[in-house]
Amino acid sequence: MAGSTIPVLAFSVLVLLAGYKFIYAPLFQHPLSHIPSAHWSIPIFGDVWITWQRYKERNNAVTFAAHRKHGSVVRMAANELAVDCVDNGIRTIYAGGWEKHAWYPQRFASYGVMNMFSTIHHLPHSQKKRTIANVYSKSYIASSPQVAANSHVLFSQRFLPLLDQYSKTGEAVDVHDLNNAMAMDFMSAFQFGLSSSTNFTQDVAKRKEIMHHYHCRREFEFFSAELPWVKTLTKRLGIPVVPDFFDVANLTIEDWNADMCRSADDYVAKQGSIASPFPGDEPVVYNQFKSGMLKLRAKDGAAGKALSSEQLILPTTRHDALDKGGVDNADDTTTAEIYSDMLDQLGAGHETSAIALTYLYWEMSQRPELMKALRKELLTLTPPIQWPLPTGFDLKDFNLPNPKQIDALPLLNAIVMETLRLHTPIPGIEPRISPYIAGGSTLGEYSNIPGGVRVSAMPYTLHRNEEVFPQPNSFNPSRWLPEHTSEEQLKEMNRWFWAFGSGGRMCIGSHLATQEIKLLVAAIYSNWTTEVIDDEGIEEIDAYTTRPKSNRLMLRFAHV
Ligand code: HEM
């Protein structure tokens, strides 16, 4: 009898222990168990539910629904929270300098190293950011002779003649493709100088080639960001979940960007011998970052170097001797880091602006009265942006208005703000890690949040708060105008507006993007109206960076 009791007893104890460890403790003793879960399975099954949602590209929708059901702080996985408030929310996390999650380097590193955007830790990030921040400041960009010279060439020789040609033929144009091209030309000209930059507006074959590589990676980025070990393991086992073309695309894009960096180096090397250099050829960003990094490293070889305390799997590896002078080697990653930052800024800088422009044109095209009102405002610019040039005018007589003047136009500003609110190019999660501090942190109404928790806020949810933005799903630029909205309410709207993030990791390119977007919109609606020809698939994909599902929008331009 005793012989059969002992195993039964042992089994019962095991069951009780397992029940305690796998059910009771996760349900009642986990440090996040006091926070409502987005799904019943989270306390017991941890990350399974949200990982599946992310794989199926439903993250933004399920997080939004969870906030509506449970409030401003919701548990999304075993050790992950979503936050949807300003006080005890984005101000604590982002203005408070909580460090980035490994999600960033896993997805956004390149050349086998981390760049400023994907660096996790505060110190190396801020050392790098300080080397370059001044060339992205609002005053620098608005008064930069380089930007002015390039804007002149880009608008008068590429963008406006092409749009004029489209309006004359009356053909339907894929403006999303065109926006990517124009934004890439604008961005790369600022980074590398016009002579070393892209000409995607006119060189359609090169545009298609690079954009193909750029976009074909998208559906597999989930694995790099969320489950990088699955990518590595399945590759080793010979059953890769991420196809080889993903790596080929990464390599192609890295090589293409490296060529522009080298071309900027060549320009600088021969600059002294050019009799009258064109101001637009100055590689402003590349020069500033390279010289800043070399100075930093000369003082301290470890300065600005991303520390990797975690076991990180980066999406790409170093693939050749990047620097012709041989500076880059296994110990000195400086060249790889410079190239990586250039590539990151090229990607961040063109895609986001293009998305914003696409949705702005789409919304405008459905509102003839708004196009008319905007044009009336734009005609007050001195000089107005008139294309084609009036008879008797020569290209050298073409001048764009001062960017400060364009920036001050209230209706244009309201339209851009509303587009960035409703169609935020980066609507998704911006994951950070809670700090290890005595007593834990407080988010929303919950205190004692321990260190090491993955925490994210999302523009998608913040921008849909009905109390701050009544009828949040309507495109209503008037809400940003002082004659429609009280000063107090406008202040509140600006506190919740989060298209560019906030704090030390806030977008470095926000002023460049705003100047570029406003200039393009001003140039277009001064001269043309737009009409939707085909907007099938215009709905935004549910992702970190969004875009139309169809990746296109067909419009027709008509001269006014
Ligand atoms: C409408 C256009 C843009 C939008 C909506 C946008 C949005 C954002 C957001 C939300 C972040 C924070 C992301 C996070 O922490 O996960 C960010 C960061 C960043 N953005 Fe932008 N961006 C835009 C244009 C640009 C441009 C033109 C550049 C060109 C340099 C740029 C470069 C960067 C960089 C380098 C960071 C990382 C900053 C850091 O870690 O300190 N962005 N952007």
Side-chain angles (χ1 to χ4, degrees):
M1 189 67 187
S4 64
T5 316
I6 291 171
V8 170
L9 214 61
F11 180 72
S12 309
V13 170
L14 268 181
V15 169
L16 278 174
L17 282 175
Y20 174 78
K21 184 168 169 47
F22 297 112
I23 298 177
Y24 184 84
L27 274 176
F28 302 107
Q29 292 183 328
H30 190 282
L32 302 181
S33 57
H34 58 310
I35 299 177
S37 291
H39 191 254
W40 63 266
S41 65
I42 290 169
I44 309 285
F45 297 104
D47 302 354
V48 174
W49 175 76
I50 193 65
T51 306
W52 179 247
Q53 300 304 326
R54 286 178 182 149
Y55 177 67
K56 300 300 284 178
E57 302 196 335
R58 292 194 291 246
N59 177 80
N60 301 353
V62 297
T63 309
F64 178 74
H67 283 305
R68 288 297 163 273
K69 189 164 174 199
H70 299 293
S72 58
V73 180
V74 182
R75 192 174 171 196
M76 301 304 294
N79 200 33
E80 179 175 345
L81 299 176
V83 173
D84 185 32
C85 50
V86 176
D87 299 321
N88 280 348
I90 54 173
R91 285 179 70 170
T92 305
I93 303 164
Y94 298 88
W98 291 16
E99 293 193 319
K100 282 192 167 176
H101 187 270
W103 186 87
Y104 286 90
Q106 282 162 191
R107 179 163 169 191
F108 292 105
S110 55
Y111 300 96
V113 294
M114 295 182 218
N115 46 53
M116 185 172 73
F117 178 58
S118 55
T119 294
I120 292 178
H121 298 291
H122 179 69
L123 180 66
H125 164 266
S126 60
Q127 287 171 325
K128 264 189 190 166
K129 200 164 189 172
R130 273 202 297 269
T131 65
I132 202 174
N134 73 312
V135 300
Y136 280 113
S137 71
K138 187 167 181 167
S139 55
Y140 185 96
I141 291 162
S143 54
S144 159
Q146 199 261 21
V147 177
N150 284 338
S151 299
H152 189 278
V153 173
L154 293 173
F155 277 76
S156 65
Q157 294 178 30
R158 296 189 198 170
F159 303 167
L160 296 176
L162 186 64
L163 292 170
D164 191 45
Q165 180 199 317
Y166 287 142
S167 84
K168 282 188 175 129
T169 58
E171 65 196 282
V173 184
D174 178 357
V175 289
H176 190 54
D177 185 38
L178 191 62
N179 287 336
N180 274 298
M182 290 176 172
M184 184 70 90
D185 288 358
F186 194 93
M187 188 65 227
S188 61
F190 184 47
Q191 285 181 257
F192 303 112
L194 193 68
S195 59
S196 301
S197 66
T198 60
N199 183 357
F200 281 8
T201 309
Q202 293 168 319
D203 186 347
V204 178
K206 190 72 185 169
R207 179 205 309 177
K208 295 253 178 265
E209 183 207 329
I210 295 298
M211 285 302 165
H212 163 74
H213 289 300
Y214 197 83
H215 289 291
C216 74
R217 304 171 301 169
R218 217 200 57 75
E219 63 182 293
F220 303 100
E221 281 170 348
F222 160 82
F223 289 103
S224 303
E226 300 290 344
L227 300 171
W229 59 271
V230 171
K231 183 182 160 197
T232 314
L233 182 71
T234 55
K235 192 169 183 171
R236 258 188 223 141
L237 294 174
I239 42 162
V241 289
V242 177
D244 286 347
F245 70 72
F246 182 90
D247 294 330
V248 172
N250 274 327
L251 275 180
T252 309
I253 287 171
E254 287 180 354
D255 283 343
W256 162 74
N257 172 70
D259 281 345
M260 285 192 278
C261 295
R262 289 179 193 129
S263 168
D265 275 330
D266 290 345
Y267 174 81
V268 174
K270 63 172 194 228
Q271 195 174 19
S273 60
I274 303 173
S276 48
F278 172 60
D281 285 337
E282 182 73 30
V284 170
V285 180
Y286 181 73
N287 259 355
Q288 169 81 12
F289 193 58
K290 183 173 177 182
S291 60
M293 285 291 286
L294 293 179
K295 261 190 229 150
L296 204 63
R297 291 282 151 86
K299 266 200 233 150
D300 172 1
K305 195 153 270 188
L307 314 167
S308 170
S309 48
E310 293 87 341
Q311 280 297 312
L312 291 174
I313 302 175
L314 304 184
T316 64
T317 50
R318 304 272 292 290
H319 50 93
D320 59 12
L322 293 171
D323 189 71
K324 283 182 196 160
V327 174
D328 203 52
N329 55 51
D331 301 324
D332 182 1
T333 56
T334 307
T335 302
E337 289 174 72
I338 296 167
Y339 285 15
S340 182
D341 247 293
M342 289 307 106
L343 182 54
D344 178 64
Q345 290 169 37
L346 206 53
H350 90 274
E351 193 178 6
T352 46
S353 303
I355 295 161
L357 285 164
T358 297
Y359 282 102
L360 188 148
Y361 301 158
W362 181 64
E363 294 286 5
M364 291 297 284
S365 303
Q366 298 165 62
R367 294 171 175 78
E369 287 309 313
L370 189 57
M371 284 193 272
K372 224 187 255 173
L374 178 61
R375 180 159 190 270
K376 192 169 162 210
E377 184 180 77
L378 293 171
L379 292 179
T380 64
L381 288 169
T382 47
I385 311 177
Q386 210 178 340
W387 199 270
L389 289 172
T391 336
F393 271 62
D394 191 80
L395 255 194
K396 68 177 174 353
D397 302 318
F398 176 78
N399 281 312
L400 287 165
N402 187 309
K404 288 182 192 149
Q405 213 193 124
I406 300 181
D407 193 46
L409 296 175
L411 182 58
L412 176 61
N413 184 60
I415 291 168
V416 171
M417 288 295 283
E418 185 64 349
T419 305
L420 292 173
R421 180 195 71 81
L422 184 59
H423 302 291
T424 318
I426 299 185
I429 48 170
E430 299 182 16
R432 303 294 191 262
I433 290 286
S434 63
Y436 292 89
I437 48 172
S441 304
T442 298
L443 291 174
E445 58 192 279
Y446 304 100
S447 46
N448 301 320
I449 292 168
V453 176
R454 173 170 159 167
V455 179
S456 293
M458 295 179 12
Y460 186 90
T461 58
L462 290 161
H463 290 180
R464 282 168 177 74
N465 181 330
E466 281 181 330
E467 281 168 26
V468 183
F469 305 106
Q471 297 183 301
N473 292 321
S474 312
F475 180 79
N476 176 15
S478 307
R479 71 170 89 235
W480 295 97
L481 295 172
E483 57 267 36
H484 290 269
T485 306
S486 70
E487 201 182 317
E488 198 186 335
Q489 180 67 11
L490 275 172
K491 223 166 136 190
E492 191 61 1
M493 285 159 60
N494 279 307
R495 257 163 43 89
W496 284 74
F497 178 79
W498 209 54
F500 295 109
S502 54
R505 309 299 298 248
M506 187 182 162
C507 178
I508 201 171
S510 62
H511 302 301
L512 184 76
T514 310
Q515 180 164 320
E516 173 196 3
I517 291 171
K518 285 187 173 178
L519 183 53
L520 267 163
V521 174
I524 288 181
Y525 289 100
S526 292
N527 295 288
W528 294 283
T529 55
T530 51
E531 178 196 356
V532 174
I533 301 300
D534 182 359
D535 62 357
E536 205 183 322
I538 190 70
E539 320 77 69
E540 282 128 326
I541 58 166
D542 185 318
Y544 173 71
T545 309
T546 190
R547 62 168 169 78
K549 273 196 174 120
S550 58
N551 209 20
R552 72 202 264 276
L553 170 65
M554 304 304 291
L555 296 186
R556 181 177 292 137
F557 290 81
H559 208 281
V560 276

